[in-house]
Amino acid sequence: MKKRVGLFLALVLILSMAATGCSKKASPKSAADILKINEDEKNNSYSMEGSVHMEMGMEAMGLTFDIPITMDMKMDVADKNAHGTMDLTMDMGALGGENTLSSELYMEKTENEIVVYSKTNEDSKWSKEGSDSEQMVSMGTSILEGANFDNADFKHDEEAKTYIVTQKFSDLMASGNMEDYFGTLFETFGAMGIDEDSAKEMMDGMGNTDVVYTFDEEECHLQSAKIENMEYSLKTETGGMEMTIKATMSMDFNYSNHGQIKAEDVAVPDEVKAEAE
């Protein structure tokens, strides 16, 4: 169970680093304008609260079993430093029952690397992981950084005083830093005995699902990022046995406290650093 934290940690961090902002004078006319505004005027201080719901299912030899996975998380972010908690629940049913892994983490950007301190309810002490690799450093960047909204729909909801940007999941996967991070889902598929080609086919099949971003009208702060009812199924063969594999996923991330989170609010406590050494 502990190993599965690694499969989702990158996803948590990259989606939690999603909220930037724009000035009151900005009046975006397109999805591309939203990105340009966020590039020019960043607001990297905010809170995030979100959840991810997945269900993997297989049918083979007249038997059916489903594995529901729920992840709830909270994160406070100040620039590229962060503090958060996550609860990951996986129900293996007759294969292993329900397990919940609770974790707390700090992310700290030093001069040359991103350092992540983490501890779970299965650990006796804090652990530390750091890297100067491009992938690890990109964990501290926004979901909007490097994004491409060229094919995204844009709507101004005057009644709700929001801007709505909608893009396909396949476009999100292909832009910014997201391709590498959603690639960790292949490891989840692999743990279920799904080969890489079948996993890729499933991810491609999910690509037509909408990803919906909501920005407030006054400041252009990102309020939410959501994926609803992503689903796909395929028939494959493993070891001479035919099976049907189904996958569903939804995500809902909400952002608040823009400009209110200070560096000291998310600083790694000295006792955590000492224990992790």
Side-chain angles (χ1 to χ4, degrees):
M1 185 68 176
K2 179 180 177 182
K3 183 179 179 182
R4 292 189 177 94
V5 175
L7 304 181
F8 293 97
L9 179 59
L11 175 62
V12 176
L13 291 174
I14 195 72
L15 288 174
S16 69
M17 296 290 175
T20 54
C22 60
S23 68
K24 296 179 180 180
K25 299 179 180 178
S27 296
K29 304 298 182 184
S30 68
D33 286 347
I34 287 281
L35 282 182
K36 182 63 169 62
I37 290 167
N38 279 279
E39 289 173 359
D40 292 344
E41 300 191 36
K42 293 184 177 180
N43 170 22
N44 291 323
S45 169
Y46 49 86
S47 298
M48 180 281 297
E49 185 169 354
S51 61
V52 178
H53 300 279
M54 295 180 63
E55 186 162 317
M56 303 294 297
M58 282 199 278
E59 298 177 5
M61 300 178 64
L63 300 175
T64 301
F65 71 90
D66 298 309
I67 303 176
I69 303 169
T70 301
M71 181 170 61
D72 297 307
M73 68 210 73
K74 295 181 180 180
M75 187 82 71
D76 288 330
V77 178
D79 194 18
K80 293 184 178 180
N81 300 323
H83 171 242
T85 59
M86 179 182 73
D87 293 316
L88 174 64
T89 301
M90 179 178 294
D91 189 352
M92 300 290 289
L95 298 178
E98 182 176 286
N99 293 283
T100 297
L101 186 69
S102 298
S103 61
E104 181 178 7
L105 64 87
Y106 290 90
M107 187 169 70
E108 180 180 63
K109 184 179 184 301
T110 66
E111 184 176 351
N112 300 313
E113 64 178 2
I114 295 289
V115 179
V116 177
Y117 297 86
S118 63
K119 184 176 183 180
T120 77
N121 57 342
E122 296 181 351
D123 297 326
S124 60
K125 60 179 294 185
W126 285 88
S127 63
K128 173 183 175 182
E129 181 180 358
S131 174
D132 58 359
S133 70
E134 182 178 349
Q135 186 182 45
M136 180 66 81
V137 172
S138 66
M139 287 168 67
T141 64
S142 164
I143 189 177
L144 299 179
E145 188 167 324
N148 187 331
F149 279 177
D150 288 350
N151 298 319
D153 293 328
F154 176 82
K155 182 178 71 173
H156 182 195
D157 188 333
E158 296 185 9
E159 182 176 351
K161 296 184 179 180
T162 59
Y163 298 109
I164 310 296
V165 173
T166 305
Q167 73 171 164
K168 296 301 181 184
F169 180 68
S170 57
D171 290 332
L172 172 62
M173 280 278 293
S175 66
N177 303 304
M178 297 307 295
E179 187 171 12
D180 287 338
Y181 291 102
F182 277 104
T184 61
L185 291 179
F186 286 127
E187 297 182 47
T188 304
F189 294 143
M192 298 182 63
I194 303 173
D195 63 83
E196 185 174 338
D197 289 341
S198 296
K200 187 176 187 305
E201 183 179 341
M202 292 184 73
M203 294 296 286
D204 289 344
M206 294 177 175
N208 200 44
T209 305
D210 287 337
V211 183
V212 181
Y213 309 85
T214 302
F215 300 82
D216 77 85
E217 181 184 73
E218 183 176 8
E219 296 284 353
C220 286
H221 288 145
L222 182 62
Q223 294 182 329
S224 65
K226 298 182 179 183
I227 297 177
E228 296 182 350
N229 303 320
M230 177 186 288
E231 58 183 3
Y232 190 70
S233 65
L234 63 84
K235 292 185 177 181
T236 186
E237 184 175 317
T238 301
M241 179 178 64
E242 292 186 353
M243 65 175 65
T244 299
I245 302 169
K246 300 179 180 180
T248 63
M249 183 170 69
S250 63
M251 296 189 294
D252 187 353
F253 291 83
N254 297 284
Y255 305 88
S256 61
N257 298 325
H258 296 277
Q260 298 179 33
I261 307 301
K262 297 179 174 58
E264 54 266 30
D265 296 329
V266 297
V268 185
D270 291 339
E271 57 268 28
V272 169
K273 290 187 175 182
E275 187 174 298
E277 292 299 335

